[in-house]
Amino acid sequence: ETLPKGSNKIEWTSDFYVGSSGWKICKEKPLVVPEPDTKKCDEKLKGHKDNQYRGCQTRTKTGRKCQRWEDQKPHVHSYMSGWIVKSFGLHGAMCRNAGNLMRTIWCYTT
């Protein structure tokens, strides 16, 4: 069976009304992350493993286009929790070193 058009998840709930519980079909609101002001791009690599880089690079060294951090396609990831977004400046498709995983800035590619 498929979900109704525009719905993308099913979750268990008990909030239909007092004393009731069951499955509820939800429409998730897309996460909106504001685009950084490109006038404030700081292209200096700084911090441990460049984790404080806040530049505006949106392509890899080989020219591949970066995936937006708020997107889960084509690569699914868990970098959109509140403190991670704020700590690593994950906005749009900007290269970052989220989680200090690499030696320098990186991104998922499309």
Side-chain angles (χ1 to χ4, degrees), residues 31-73:
L31 178 63
V32 177
V33 178
E35 291 290 333
D37 183 355
T38 54
K39 294 176 188 168
K40 296 181 181 178
C41 291
D42 180 358
E43 295 301 327
K44 281 187 180 176
L45 294 173
K46 57 187 173 185
H48 176 69
K49 295 184 177 180
D50 304 325
N51 68 355
Q52 292 177 18
Y53 169 78
R54 295 300 179 265
C56 295
Q57 298 299 314
T58 58
R59 293 194 176 264
T60 65
K61 286 181 181 181
T62 59
R64 295 188 69 189
K65 187 176 176 184
C66 292
Q67 171 181 315
R68 296 178 61 85
W69 288 103
E70 55 270 26
D71 291 346
Q72 293 294 315
K73 290 181 183 177

Side-chain angles (χ1 to χ4, degrees), residues 63-89:
R64 295 188 69 189
K65 187 176 176 184
C66 292
Q67 171 181 315
R68 296 178 61 85
W69 288 103
E70 55 270 26
D71 291 346
Q72 293 294 315
K73 290 181 183 177
H75 303 282
V76 176
H77 61 85
S78 59
Y79 289 108
M80 288 312 294
S81 73
W83 73 271
I84 294 175
V85 169
K86 189 173 183 177
S87 296
F88 295 105

Side-chain angles (χ1 to χ4, degrees), residues 11-49:
E11 63 183 29
W12 181 257
T13 185
S14 60
D15 67 357
F16 289 119
Y17 55 87
V18 177
S20 175
S21 63
W23 291 100
K24 175 173 80 174
I25 297 173
C26 305
K27 291 183 181 180
E28 287 186 345
K29 292 181 181 177
L31 178 63
V32 177
V33 178
E35 291 290 333
D37 183 355
T38 54
K39 294 176 188 168
K40 296 181 181 178
C41 291
D42 180 358
E43 295 301 327
K44 281 187 180 176
L45 294 173
K46 57 187 173 185
H48 176 69
K49 295 184 177 180

